[in-house]
Amino acid sequence: MKKGLAYVLISMLIVGLFTPSAFANDVINEKLGVPIVVYGANLSDSEKDRVRTDLKVADEAEVEELSVDGTDLIKYIPGGDRNARMYSSAKITRQEEGEGLVISIVTPDNITQVTTDMYATAMLTAGIEDAIVEVASPKKVTGHSALVGIYKAYEVSGEVLDTERTDTANDELNLATKLSEKAGIDKDEVANLLTEIKKQIAEQKPATKEDVEKIVSDQLKKFNIQLSEADRQLLIDLMDRISKLDIDFSKLNEQLTDMAFKIKDKLGDIDPSFWEKVKEFFRNMVDSFKSLFN
């Protein structure tokens, strides 16, 4: 009976480790502030209620609710369309420094172009580093307006974002979706490509556009990705802009390395020794539990 109880406890622990954690929290964080929910301004009342349900707003102790419209769009993305219709929404919960980004698309069937990794790499470009971000839409949309909502949430919480960085991040997101939709490249591969190019920029600190072009060419060859000359030039121009931004590239490199690991994990390219360490951990845990009941 003791052994049976031990295995039950082990099973419960394993389920707890591998079940996606619930983001809702019934405790107000007085240091970082409450979660901020930003709705697309073109949602109807009933659609907004659906988004509230999808983002589990009622489960939070307290939230701040905002909306994002065309005025916000042109603030963070110069040259954007003031009359753009905005539906995708987001809940942003700030985290302690060093926690990194956790992105969740809670209505994946309705966010048709932007992936979690695309959001993450664009947010790092914009200067957003430590947060849990959940994205939702009640209808099929590309998912671009959620990024503007994330920017607005950060400024409302007291952060100051560089509009040159947010504009570049938006162009990065647009190029990422263009490559996946029109060039036929897998979305995860696009995110991986952008992440690796930025990692190399952070490491090599290219001095000229020609240096950036070499980095882009090397990474395209590494991933065996063929682009049209026009798309290749767009990618080079974008990465040249990123290389000239006021970014702490040593810090960015650490974040990108972590993100690259997550993407490779998703793609299945992960060091087998990692799984051996996982197995060893659980073997040790089982032995520890056995000793408790012997």
Side-chain angles (χ1 to χ4, degrees):
M1 182 174 178
K2 287 181 178 180
K3 288 185 178 180
L5 179 58
Y7 286 121
V8 168
L9 290 173
I10 293 168
S11 300
M12 290 171 65
L13 179 56
I14 292 173
V15 169
L17 285 169
F18 286 95
T19 300
S21 59
F23 293 128
N25 193 345
D26 58 2
V27 177
I28 296 173
N29 189 321
E30 295 179 307
K31 178 182 177 183
L32 299 175
V34 300
I36 298 175
V37 182
V38 187
Y39 303 101
N42 294 104
L43 294 172
S44 66
D45 289 341
S46 61
E47 288 172 335
K48 189 178 290 187
D49 286 339
R50 280 182 59 190
V51 170
R52 283 194 181 96
T53 299
D54 290 332
L55 294 178
K56 295 182 171 56
V57 173
D59 292 350
E60 301 290 350
E62 186 177 326
V63 299
E64 182 171 358
E65 295 181 286
L66 310 169
S67 64
V68 63
D69 58 21
T71 303
D72 299 300
L73 176 65
I74 62 173
K75 175 181 179 181
Y76 299 109
I77 304 170
D81 183 2
R82 182 186 294 272
N83 298 312
R85 299 185 69 78
M86 308 181 82
Y87 297 98
S88 54
S89 306
K91 181 171 74 173
I92 300 91
T93 307
R94 295 180 62 193
Q95 299 292 289
E96 295 285 356
E97 183 176 350
E99 291 295 319
L101 291 171
V102 178
I103 316 292
S104 173
I105 298 176
V106 299
T107 56
D109 291 340
N110 287 340
I111 304 295
T112 63
Q113 288 187 0
V114 186
T115 68
T116 56
D117 297 324
M118 289 179 186
Y119 278 124
T121 189
M123 287 168 65
L124 288 177
T125 298
I128 297 172
E129 301 168 359
D130 303 291
I132 294 171
V133 179
E134 299 160 84
V135 179
S137 173
K139 60 179 66 178
K140 290 185 180 298
V141 295
T142 61
H144 289 76
S145 67
L147 191 60
V148 180
I150 293 165
Y151 296 157
K152 184 171 184 176
Y154 259 71
E155 292 224 319
V156 166
S157 65
E159 299 287 341
V160 178
L161 295 175
D162 182 339
T163 54
E164 186 176 3
R165 289 183 66 166
T166 58
D167 187 33
T168 303
N170 182 71
D171 287 345
E172 180 180 343
L173 193 63
N174 286 337
L175 180 58
T177 55
K178 179 179 186 292
L179 293 178
S180 64
E181 292 290 316
K182 296 182 179 178
I185 306 170
D186 179 80
K187 293 178 181 179
D188 290 330
E189 287 287 353
V190 170
N192 202 14
L193 172 67
L194 296 177
T195 298
E196 290 296 332
I197 292 174
K198 287 194 288 186
K199 269 190 65 183
Q200 292 305 311
I201 289 174
E203 291 176 6
Q204 298 182 32
K205 301 178 177 58
T208 67
K209 189 170 185 177
E210 287 72 24
D211 294 335
V212 173
E213 182 174 1
K214 184 178 186 307
I215 289 172
V216 170
S217 297
D218 288 346
Q219 293 304 309
L220 287 172
K221 183 178 180 180
K222 172 184 173 181
F223 290 106
N224 195 27
I225 293 176
Q226 304 293 325
L227 296 180
S228 69
E229 187 55 37
D231 287 342
R232 182 176 176 276
Q233 193 58 52
L234 284 174
L235 182 57
I236 292 168
D237 291 343
L238 172 69
M239 291 302 165
D240 187 51
R241 285 173 62 193
I242 289 175
S243 72
K244 292 177 170 60
L245 292 174
D246 183 19
I247 295 177
D248 180 350
F249 277 102
S250 61
K251 184 175 182 181
L252 180 64
N253 192 29
E254 293 177 9
Q255 296 162 334
L256 290 170
T257 299
D258 181 58
M259 184 178 165
F261 178 83
K262 291 176 182 176
I263 296 174
K264 287 179 181 178
D265 186 8
K266 183 183 296 185
L267 293 172
D269 181 13
I270 187 168
D271 185 349
S273 67
F274 170 81
W275 296 115
E276 288 305 316
K277 292 175 183 176
V278 172
K279 292 176 185 177
E280 182 180 358
F281 168 79
F282 280 108
R283 280 195 297 266
N284 292 338
M285 185 177 67
V286 169
D287 290 338
S288 297
F289 269 91
K290 284 181 178 178
S291 66
L292 288 176
F293 295 95
N294 284 337

